[in-house]
Amino acid sequence: MKKKLRDFIFQELVFVAEPNQFGDDDDLLEAGLDSMGIMRLIMYIENEFGVTLPDTEIEPDNVQSFNALERWILRHKNA
Amino acid sequence: MPLLTAFDRQCRNAPDRPALIEGERRLSYREVMLNSERLAAHLAARIEPGARVALALDRGIDAIIAILSVLRCGACYIPLDIKNPARRLRFIVNDAVVHCIIGRGNPPDWLDTPALWLDIDRLPESAQSFYPPAAIDPEALAAILYTSGSTGTPKGVALSHRALHNFADWATLTFKLKADDRIASLAPFYFDLSVFDIFSSLSAGASVNFVPAGLTLSPSRLTAWLLEQRITVFYTVPSLLGFIALKGGLTEQPLPDLTTLLFAGEVFPTPQLKKLCELLPETDFYNLYGPTETNVCCYWPVDRARLDGDQPIPIGHPACASELKIDAESSELLVNSVNNLSGYWRQGRLTEALEDGGYYRTGDKVSLNKRGEYCYHGRLDRMLKCSGYRVEPAEIEALILQCPEVAGCAVVGIEDSTSGQRPAAALVLHPDGQLNGIVKTIKQALPAYMQPCRLSVMDALPLLDNGKTDYQTLQRQLERH
C-alpha cells in the first residue's frame, strides 16, 4: 500500500529531491502537499483501495505522513 | 483619499462595530483606526509619500493594519508570500526597490538590508501623532502584486488607488454588502481576490473574519467554521469550492447564513458547481472573471437553470464599467477599465502595459454567445493555472536552463480535473548530467505550486517543422508518462 501511495504522491502531487530519502514519518504537508493535492489523493485512495474515508476525518493529522495515511486507510479497510 | 473614504466614514459613524476578527482577537472599527494611525506615525518617520513598503506578514489583522497604515502615508504596499523560497523573496524586494519591510521578529536572513525591517512588535515608544499627507493623487500606486513572469522572473502588477477604489466600490454595490455582513477572508493578500476582502468589506462597515490557516486541508472543518461564524459572504477559488462540494459534509450541515458566494481564478467545472448549488439552495453564486491586471472585468450571476452537464458556464457581462472588445483575428479579449493596472513594475520603475486607448490584452480567448454573454476558451499563450496560481512555464524553463547540466528544457501543463493544471518539465541533459543538482535548484528557487510534478529526461525535445518546440506533442508525451 505504501509503495502505491509513494508512487502516486511523488509522481503526481509533491516534488521532492530524492523520493528514496523521504521517510515514512516525514512531513508531507511541509513537502508541499496542499488542499488540491489532498483532494486528489483522497479520490485516488477511495478508488484504489476500495475504502470510503469520512468527510470529518479529512484533516492534517491523517495526511501528514505515509505512516499516518496507512493507519487511516487501514482503520477503514478493516472496519 | 477615496479608497479609504468609505472606511473612514464607517469608523466615524459606527466605531464600535466589529471590523476584524481573527480567532479570539476582535478589533472594532475604532481600534482598527487607532492602530493603523499609530503604525502610520512610525512609518511616516521613515518613508515619504510614494514609497514602496513590503509586508512580510501572514494574512490577518496585523497585515490589514499594516496595509491601512501604508496607504495612509500615501505609500504603496507589496504583500510577500513569506513561504516563498528566500531567493524569490530577495528578488521581489530588490526588484521593487522597497523603502521599508513590515514584519514581526528579527529581520529574516534573505533580507540584504536589515535596516529596512520594521518589527511591529517592537515599535519605538514615541508619542508622535500622525499627520496624513495632503490629498493623495488617485493615480498614485496603492499596491504592487507580484505574479509569475514570462520573461523568467516574477513581475509586479502595479495598481493605483483609482483602480482599487473602482473595483472595491463596484463590488460593495453589486453584491449589496451591508454593515451586518460577515465576510470570510481566505485569499492571501498577494492575490487580487483580497482587494474585495479588505476594501469592499471595510467600505461597507462589515466584519472581516479570517479563515484559520489549515482549514483548507479539512473541508468539513472549513464548513463547520463558516457555519459557526455565520459567514454571509465568501469569495474564493473554484478548486476549494469543489473540494467542499465533494467532501465538505454540507448535507449534514448546510449554511443558512451564506447569502453570497463569489468565485474566480479558474474555471469551475459545471458538475461540481451544480452539486454545490444543490447543497446551498438559498445562496447566490457569482462567477467573476479577470486577470490581476484588470481585476474583475466580467461577471455572471449563476443561473441555476442553465447548469447543464459539462457545458462550461459563461463569464458573463462587463463588470466595473469595463469596455470589452474581441480581437477579430485571434479572439483575444481586450479590456479597458478604470481597474486596469498602471503598468508592470520592473527594476524600480513602472513600465507600460496597456495598448493605445488604454486596453489591456488579456491573452485569453473568448467569444460572445447568443445571449450576448462572454465565454472563456482558454489561453492564447502558455500561461498555466495551478491550484489557482498563475504560472508562466517560461519562468520555470529559464531557471532550469541556468543549471549547467541542462542542454534543453520545456515546461507544459498537465491537465488535472481538480487543480486545473500542474507544470511538468522535459529535460535534455549534457553527457553525464545528473538530475540531483537541477532538483535542488528548483526546490531552492520556486514555490511549491511552481515545482514541476514530473521531470522527464529525453534525448531531444519534439520540434515543429519550423524548428520551434512542439509543446502539444510534448504535453501528450508527458501526460502519458
Side-chain angles (χ1 to χ4, degrees):
Chain A
M1 175 182 293
K2 251 182 225 150
K3 162 126 187 23
K4 280 186 174 170
L5 290 172
R6 293 186 81 96
D7 285 350
F8 180 76
I9 288 178
F10 290 139
Q11 278 171 24
E12 301 284 332
L13 306 180
V14 174
F15 183 82
V16 296
E18 288 173 56
N20 296 334
Q21 307 277 307
F22 196 94
D24 285 341
D25 278 316
D26 287 354
D27 194 328
L28 283 166
L29 301 175
E30 208 129 274
L33 183 64
D34 61 6
S35 63
M36 293 313 104
I38 293 174
M39 173 157 141
R40 290 192 60 205
L41 177 62
I42 285 162
M43 285 168 24
Y44 169 80
I45 291 171
E46 294 192 337
N47 281 326
E48 185 67 31
F49 303 115
V51 291
T52 305
L53 300 170
D55 296 353
T56 49
E57 292 182 17
I58 302 172
E59 49 183 318
D61 282 353
N62 284 329
V63 296
Q64 196 100 35
S65 66
F66 287 107
N67 279 336
L69 276 167
E70 189 180 56
R71 280 194 300 272
W72 187 29
I73 298 166
L74 286 177
R75 266 205 312 278
H76 291 282
K77 214 168 162 56
N78 301 333
Chain B
M1 185 190 326
L3 179 57
L4 298 184
T5 304
F7 164 70
D8 288 341
R9 195 181 316 122
Q10 300 296 346
C11 294
R12 282 195 306 274
N13 295 350
D16 295 318
R17 288 197 65 88
L20 305 177
I21 299 172
E22 182 181 7
E24 298 299 307
R25 204 173 154 203
R26 299 166 69 93
L27 259 60
S28 67
Y29 272 81
R30 177 191 288 115
E31 289 166 318
V32 174
M33 171 74 99
L34 291 173
N35 281 324
S36 61
E37 290 202 339
R38 175 166 173 263
L39 183 55
H42 289 285
L43 261 182
R46 297 169 65 125
I47 60 165
E48 300 286 321
R52 289 168 301 283
V53 179
L55 307 178
L57 293 167
D58 266 328
R59 169 184 61 91
I61 287 182
D62 293 325
I64 289 206
I65 300 282
I67 287 172
L68 294 172
S69 64
V70 169
L71 294 174
R72 290 226 177 274
C73 290
C76 153
Y77 74 91
I78 303 171
L80 301 175
D81 180 354
I82 47 180
K83 289 190 199 70
N84 268 348
R87 181 169 153 167
R88 197 176 177 86
L89 289 166
R90 190 179 293 126
F91 173 87
I92 292 174
V93 164
N94 291 337
D95 184 72
V97 194
V98 301
H99 301 87
C100 177
I101 303 179
I102 303 179
R104 165 164 275 149
N106 291 324
D109 291 340
W110 51 260
L111 184 57
D112 296 332
T113 322
L116 296 178
W117 189 254
L118 179 62
D119 175 2
I120 52 167
D121 289 335
R122 271 184 292 177
L123 296 177
E125 277 299 324
S126 62
Q128 55 192 326
S129 343
F130 174 65
Y131 301 101
I136 287 169
D137 178 1
E139 296 306 321
L141 295 187
I144 301 176
L145 306 182
Y146 273 82
T147 173
S148 180
S150 57
T151 53
T153 49
K155 67 178 172 189
V157 178
L159 301 162
S160 64
H161 281 256
R162 159 190 55 77
L164 296 193
H165 178 233
N166 188 62
F167 168 73
D169 227 26
W170 173 84
T172 308
L173 287 171
T174 305
F175 306 117
K176 302 185 182 65
L177 301 186
K178 308 174 300 297
D180 55 3
D181 272 318
R182 290 169 298 281
I183 298 173
S185 162
L186 177 62
F189 291 169
Y190 46 85
F191 266 149
D192 56 0
L193 272 67
S194 65
V195 172
F196 172 84
D197 299 338
I198 304 168
F199 299 103
S200 300
S201 306
L202 294 180
S203 298
S207 73
V208 181
N209 298 43
F210 294 99
V211 180
L215 284 196
T216 54
L217 303 180
S218 177
S220 69
R221 278 169 56 195
L222 175 56
T223 52
W225 181 87
L226 292 168
L227 179 68
E228 171 212 300
Q229 299 281 315
R230 301 181 52 224
I231 295 300
T232 58
V233 182
F234 187 21
Y235 182 18
T236 188
V237 289
S239 44
L240 183 68
L241 293 176
F243 201 6
I244 291 179
L246 289 174
K247 294 286 178 187
L250 282 173
T251 340
E252 295 87 48
Q253 65 190 15
L255 302 171
D257 297 298
L258 189 67
T259 60
T260 310
L261 195 53
L262 313 172
F263 57 88
E266 54 201 357
V267 176
F268 204 148
T270 306
Q272 290 178 20
L273 173 59
K274 193 168 179 192
K275 179 159 186 183
L276 193 61
C277 283
E278 284 160 6
L279 291 165
L280 299 172
E282 304 298 326
T283 306
D284 291 328
F285 287 65
Y286 295 87
N287 182 21
L288 309 189
Y289 159 87
T292 305
E293 284 86 344
T294 69
N295 208 321
V296 175
C297 61
C298 222
Y299 82 118
W300 189 61
V302 173
D303 178 352
R304 290 158 184 260
R306 284 176 55 198
L307 300 180
D308 183 20
D310 280 332
Q311 191 73 29
I313 58 170
I315 53 175
H317 298 284
C320 303
S322 304
E323 283 172 43
L324 307 182
K325 65 180 184 188
I326 303 178
D327 184 304
E329 251 171 60
S330 64
S331 300
E332 182 174 12
L333 177 68
L334 284 81
V335 182
N336 189 351
S337 166
V338 179
N339 292 357
N340 277 6
L341 76 166
S342 305
Y344 290 115
W345 190 268
R346 284 201 180 99
Q347 296 174 325
R349 63 189 190 87
L350 205 55
T351 58
E352 194 55 54
L354 302 176
E355 299 216 319
D356 291 343
Y359 280 91
Y360 172 73
R361 283 196 169 268
T362 60
D364 284 341
K365 210 170 147 178
V366 300
S367 67
L368 279 170
N369 67 14
K370 282 186 206 138
R371 297 170 187 257
E373 296 158 341
Y374 286 84
C375 300
Y376 171 79
H377 304 291
R379 292 292 299 171
L380 285 158
D381 59 13
R382 300 199 289 134
M383 186 197 287
L384 309 177
K385 271 291 170 80
C386 307
S387 299
Y389 289 88
R390 238 163 91 164
V391 173
E392 290 286 0
E395 191 181 337
I396 306 173
E397 289 165 1
L399 175 82
I400 295 178
L401 285 168
Q402 285 168 14
C403 301
E405 304 90 331
V406 177
C409 169
V411 172
V412 294
I414 293 184
E415 294 298 325
D416 177 328
S417 57
T418 50
S419 57
Q421 292 157 311
R422 298 243 156 192
L427 302 173
V428 180
L429 301 181
H430 287 302
D432 301 326
Q434 295 289 319
L435 272 180
N436 293 7
I438 304 167
V439 170
K440 235 173 240 150
T441 306
I442 292 173
K443 276 284 189 194
Q444 279 166 5
L446 297 178
Y449 61 86
M450 285 183 80
Q451 296 172 6
C453 66
R454 280 172 209 171
L455 282 184
S456 178
V457 178
M458 300 183 166
D459 294 333
L461 298 174
L463 298 179
L464 296 165
D465 290 341
N466 63 11
K468 290 185 175 170
T469 307
D470 182 351
Y471 292 108
Q472 286 188 342
T473 300
L474 188 63
Q475 184 178 349
R476 280 197 300 276
Q477 288 173 347
L478 288 175
E479 274 177 351
R480 265 204 314 271
H481 173 84

